mmCIF file of all heavy atoms in Angstrom:
data_model
loop_
_atom_site.group_PDB
_atom_site.id
_atom_site.type_symbol
_atom_site.label_atom_id
_atom_site.label_comp_id
_atom_site.label_asym_id
_atom_site.label_seq_id
_atom_site.Cartn_x
_atom_site.Cartn_y
_atom_site.Cartn_z
ATOM 1 N N TYR A 126 -19.276 22.346 -9.300
ATOM 2 C CA TYR A 126 -18.717 21.071 -9.766
ATOM 3 C C TYR A 126 -17.274 20.886 -9.256
ATOM 4 O O TYR A 126 -16.544 21.878 -9.048
ATOM 5 C CB TYR A 126 -18.682 21.035 -11.257
ATOM 6 C CG TYR A 126 -20.122 20.922 -11.882
ATOM 7 C CD1 TYR A 126 -20.490 21.823 -12.897
ATOM 8 C CD2 TYR A 126 -21.003 20.016 -11.401
ATOM 9 C CE1 TYR A 126 -21.813 21.802 -13.409
ATOM 10 C CE2 TYR A 126 -22.294 19.940 -11.919
ATOM 11 C CZ TYR A 126 -22.696 20.839 -12.901
ATOM 12 O OH TYR A 126 -23.927 20.740 -13.396
ATOM 13 N N LEU A 127 -16.861 19.656 -9.071
ATOM 14 C CA LEU A 127 -15.539 19.302 -8.573
ATOM 15 C C LEU A 127 -14.563 19.178 -9.705
ATOM 16 O O LEU A 127 -14.830 18.476 -10.712
ATOM 17 C CB LEU A 127 -15.558 18.042 -7.709
ATOM 18 C CG LEU A 127 -14.334 17.673 -6.988
ATOM 19 C CD1 LEU A 127 -14.169 18.495 -5.734
ATOM 20 C CD2 LEU A 127 -14.331 16.166 -6.618
ATOM 21 N N THR A 128 -13.379 19.770 -9.539
ATOM 22 C CA THR A 128 -12.319 19.599 -10.635
ATOM 23 C C THR A 128 -11.469 18.438 -10.278
ATOM 24 O O THR A 128 -11.384 17.958 -9.175
ATOM 25 C CB THR A 128 -11.434 20.938 -10.701
ATOM 26 O OG1 THR A 128 -10.697 21.009 -9.546
ATOM 27 C CG2 THR A 128 -12.323 22.140 -10.899
ATOM 28 N N ARG A 129 -10.710 18.050 -11.331
ATOM 29 C CA ARG A 129 -9.783 16.866 -11.131
ATOM 30 C C ARG A 129 -8.653 17.150 -10.156
ATOM 31 O O ARG A 129 -8.211 16.285 -9.436
ATOM 32 C CB ARG A 129 -9.236 16.425 -12.514
ATOM 33 C CG ARG A 129 -10.275 15.832 -13.367
ATOM 34 C CD ARG A 129 -9.871 15.675 -14.825
ATOM 35 N NE ARG A 129 -8.612 15.010 -15.083
ATOM 36 C CZ ARG A 129 -8.526 13.641 -15.123
ATOM 37 N NH1 ARG A 129 -9.592 12.931 -14.922
ATOM 38 N NH2 ARG A 129 -7.379 13.055 -15.331
ATOM 39 N N ALA A 130 -8.225 18.374 -10.111
ATOM 40 C CA ALA A 130 -7.202 18.787 -9.232
ATOM 41 C C ALA A 130 -7.700 18.732 -7.729
ATOM 42 O O ALA A 130 -7.022 18.248 -6.830
ATOM 43 C CB ALA A 130 -6.658 20.192 -9.481
ATOM 44 N N GLN A 131 -8.878 19.227 -7.560
ATOM 45 C CA GLN A 131 -9.557 19.236 -6.177
ATOM 46 C C GLN A 131 -9.682 17.825 -5.705
ATOM 47 O O GLN A 131 -9.504 17.493 -4.598
ATOM 48 C CB GLN A 131 -10.793 19.988 -6.232
ATOM 49 C CG GLN A 131 -10.686 21.497 -6.447
ATOM 50 C CD GLN A 131 -11.993 22.144 -6.753
ATOM 51 O OE1 GLN A 131 -13.004 21.507 -7.178
ATOM 52 N NE2 GLN A 131 -12.071 23.483 -6.560
ATOM 53 N N LEU A 132 -10.115 16.981 -6.643
ATOM 54 C CA LEU A 132 -10.348 15.517 -6.243
ATOM 55 C C LEU A 132 -9.022 14.873 -5.854
ATOM 56 O O LEU A 132 -9.022 14.062 -4.898
ATOM 57 C CB LEU A 132 -10.954 14.761 -7.448
ATOM 58 C CG LEU A 132 -11.233 13.283 -7.190
ATOM 59 C CD1 LEU A 132 -12.208 13.077 -6.013
ATOM 60 C CD2 LEU A 132 -11.751 12.620 -8.431
ATOM 61 N N ALA A 133 -7.909 15.194 -6.555
ATOM 62 C CA ALA A 133 -6.644 14.661 -6.218
ATOM 63 C C ALA A 133 -6.314 14.848 -4.778
ATOM 64 O O ALA A 133 -5.849 13.953 -4.033
ATOM 65 C CB ALA A 133 -5.595 15.203 -7.114
ATOM 66 N N LYS A 134 -6.474 16.103 -4.314
ATOM 67 C CA LYS A 134 -6.192 16.396 -2.887
ATOM 68 C C LYS A 134 -7.142 15.598 -1.947
ATOM 69 O O LYS A 134 -6.648 15.045 -0.985
ATOM 70 C CB LYS A 134 -6.308 17.849 -2.636
ATOM 71 C CG LYS A 134 -6.117 18.316 -1.206
ATOM 72 C CD LYS A 134 -6.350 19.751 -0.923
ATOM 73 C CE LYS A 134 -6.210 20.043 0.596
ATOM 74 N NZ LYS A 134 -6.437 21.554 0.864
ATOM 75 N N MET A 135 -8.389 15.613 -2.265
ATOM 76 C CA MET A 135 -9.334 14.986 -1.374
ATOM 77 C C MET A 135 -9.063 13.499 -1.277
ATOM 78 O O MET A 135 -9.111 12.928 -0.175
ATOM 79 C CB MET A 135 -10.757 15.239 -1.898
ATOM 80 C CG MET A 135 -11.167 16.715 -1.842
ATOM 81 S SD MET A 135 -12.739 17.038 -2.709
ATOM 82 C CE MET A 135 -13.939 16.159 -1.673
ATOM 83 N N ILE A 136 -8.791 12.822 -2.341
ATOM 84 C CA ILE A 136 -8.487 11.378 -2.373
ATOM 85 C C ILE A 136 -7.260 11.063 -1.632
ATOM 86 O O ILE A 136 -7.192 10.151 -0.789
ATOM 87 C CB ILE A 136 -8.407 10.834 -3.815
ATOM 88 C CG1 ILE A 136 -9.786 10.882 -4.494
ATOM 89 C CG2 ILE A 136 -7.846 9.454 -3.819
ATOM 90 C CD1 ILE A 136 -10.759 9.896 -3.981
ATOM 91 N N SER A 137 -6.194 11.857 -1.884
ATOM 92 C CA SER A 137 -4.862 11.598 -1.269
ATOM 93 C C SER A 137 -4.977 11.736 0.286
ATOM 94 O O SER A 137 -4.427 10.831 0.909
ATOM 95 C CB SER A 137 -3.881 12.640 -1.847
ATOM 96 O OG SER A 137 -2.597 12.403 -1.331
ATOM 97 N N ILE A 138 -5.617 12.721 0.733
ATOM 98 C CA ILE A 138 -5.677 12.906 2.193
ATOM 99 C C ILE A 138 -6.693 11.968 2.845
ATOM 100 O O ILE A 138 -6.395 11.308 3.887
ATOM 101 C CB ILE A 138 -6.107 14.360 2.509
ATOM 102 C CG1 ILE A 138 -4.979 15.290 2.069
ATOM 103 C CG2 ILE A 138 -6.398 14.562 4.009
ATOM 104 C CD1 ILE A 138 -5.236 16.792 2.271
ATOM 105 N N ALA A 139 -7.830 11.755 2.234
ATOM 106 C CA ALA A 139 -8.899 10.871 2.781
ATOM 107 C C ALA A 139 -8.393 9.434 2.941
ATOM 108 O O ALA A 139 -8.706 8.768 3.900
ATOM 109 C CB ALA A 139 -10.139 10.970 1.934
ATOM 110 N N PHE A 140 -7.543 8.960 1.951
ATOM 111 C CA PHE A 140 -7.124 7.603 1.978
ATOM 112 C C PHE A 140 -5.625 7.465 2.357
ATOM 113 O O PHE A 140 -5.033 6.470 2.189
ATOM 114 C CB PHE A 140 -7.350 6.985 0.626
ATOM 115 C CG PHE A 140 -8.873 6.814 0.302
ATOM 116 C CD1 PHE A 140 -9.508 7.755 -0.447
ATOM 117 C CD2 PHE A 140 -9.510 5.718 0.791
ATOM 118 C CE1 PHE A 140 -10.791 7.686 -0.683
ATOM 119 C CE2 PHE A 140 -10.893 5.560 0.558
ATOM 120 C CZ PHE A 140 -11.563 6.585 -0.186
ATOM 121 N N GLN A 141 -5.080 8.572 2.899
ATOM 122 C CA GLN A 141 -3.707 8.587 3.509
ATOM 123 C C GLN A 141 -2.659 8.033 2.533
ATOM 124 O O GLN A 141 -1.810 7.238 2.932
ATOM 125 C CB GLN A 141 -3.733 7.759 4.789
ATOM 126 C CG GLN A 141 -4.675 8.324 5.852
ATOM 127 C CD GLN A 141 -4.759 7.501 7.155
ATOM 128 O OE1 GLN A 141 -4.864 6.279 7.022
ATOM 129 N NE2 GLN A 141 -4.582 8.125 8.257
ATOM 130 N N VAL A 142 -2.686 8.522 1.291
ATOM 131 C CA VAL A 142 -1.631 8.200 0.382
ATOM 132 C C VAL A 142 -0.406 9.068 0.620
ATOM 133 O O VAL A 142 -0.607 10.305 0.852
ATOM 134 C CB VAL A 142 -2.136 8.401 -1.096
ATOM 135 C CG1 VAL A 142 -1.024 8.098 -2.087
ATOM 136 C CG2 VAL A 142 -3.357 7.489 -1.349
ATOM 137 N N GLU A 143 0.771 8.528 0.638
ATOM 138 C CA GLU A 143 1.958 9.315 0.805
ATOM 139 C C GLU A 143 2.218 10.173 -0.425
ATOM 140 O O GLU A 143 2.504 9.595 -1.521
ATOM 141 C CB GLU A 143 3.168 8.427 1.116
ATOM 142 C CG GLU A 143 3.066 7.585 2.372
ATOM 143 C CD GLU A 143 3.235 8.444 3.662
ATOM 144 O OE1 GLU A 143 3.664 9.593 3.486
ATOM 145 O OE2 GLU A 143 2.964 7.954 4.772
ATOM 146 N N ASP A 144 2.075 11.447 -0.344
ATOM 147 C CA ASP A 144 2.396 12.323 -1.541
ATOM 148 C C ASP A 144 3.735 12.949 -1.250
ATOM 149 O O ASP A 144 4.019 13.434 -0.204
ATOM 150 C CB ASP A 144 1.274 13.373 -1.657
ATOM 151 C CG ASP A 144 1.145 14.308 -0.580
ATOM 152 O OD1 ASP A 144 0.409 13.991 0.448
ATOM 153 O OD2 ASP A 144 1.741 15.395 -0.616
ATOM 154 N N ASP A 145 4.562 12.948 -2.288
ATOM 155 C CA ASP A 145 5.874 13.466 -2.147
ATOM 156 C C ASP A 145 6.301 14.213 -3.386
ATOM 157 O O ASP A 145 5.491 14.293 -4.372
ATOM 158 C CB ASP A 145 6.890 12.373 -1.846
ATOM 159 C CG ASP A 145 6.757 11.192 -2.782
ATOM 160 O OD1 ASP A 145 6.927 11.411 -4.018
ATOM 161 O OD2 ASP A 145 6.505 10.059 -2.331
ATOM 162 N N GLN A 146 7.523 14.764 -3.442
ATOM 163 C CA GLN A 146 7.922 15.509 -4.572
ATOM 164 C C GLN A 146 8.829 14.739 -5.559
ATOM 165 O O GLN A 146 9.304 15.231 -6.523
ATOM 166 C CB GLN A 146 8.760 16.702 -4.064
ATOM 167 C CG GLN A 146 7.941 17.622 -3.227
ATOM 168 C CD GLN A 146 8.781 18.817 -2.706
ATOM 169 O OE1 GLN A 146 9.699 19.265 -3.353
ATOM 170 N NE2 GLN A 146 8.362 19.441 -1.529
ATOM 171 N N LYS A 147 8.928 13.404 -5.270
ATOM 172 C CA LYS A 147 9.743 12.525 -6.156
ATOM 173 C C LYS A 147 8.786 11.594 -6.879
ATOM 174 O O LYS A 147 8.448 10.526 -6.343
ATOM 175 C CB LYS A 147 10.782 11.781 -5.325
ATOM 176 C CG LYS A 147 11.728 10.941 -6.186
ATOM 177 C CD LYS A 147 12.739 10.225 -5.371
ATOM 178 C CE LYS A 147 13.658 9.372 -6.088
ATOM 179 N NZ LYS A 147 14.619 8.625 -5.288
ATOM 180 N N ASN A 148 8.318 11.976 -8.001
ATOM 181 C CA ASN A 148 7.362 11.162 -8.735
ATOM 182 C C ASN A 148 7.786 10.824 -10.165
ATOM 183 O O ASN A 148 8.517 11.656 -10.828
ATOM 184 C CB ASN A 148 6.020 11.898 -8.770
ATOM 185 C CG ASN A 148 5.396 12.165 -7.405
ATOM 186 O OD1 ASN A 148 5.148 11.203 -6.672
ATOM 187 N ND2 ASN A 148 5.221 13.410 -6.987
#
Side-chain angles (χ1 to χ4, degrees):
Y126 293 130
L127 187 77
T128 68
R129 288 165 58 81
Q131 291 169 341
L132 178 61
K134 176 184 177 180
M135 293 169 70
I136 291 289
S137 183
I138 294 176
F140 294 95
Q141 299 178 311
V142 177
E143 297 288 348
D144 63 275
D145 51 60
Q146 300 181 25
K147 185 180 178 182
N148 297 300

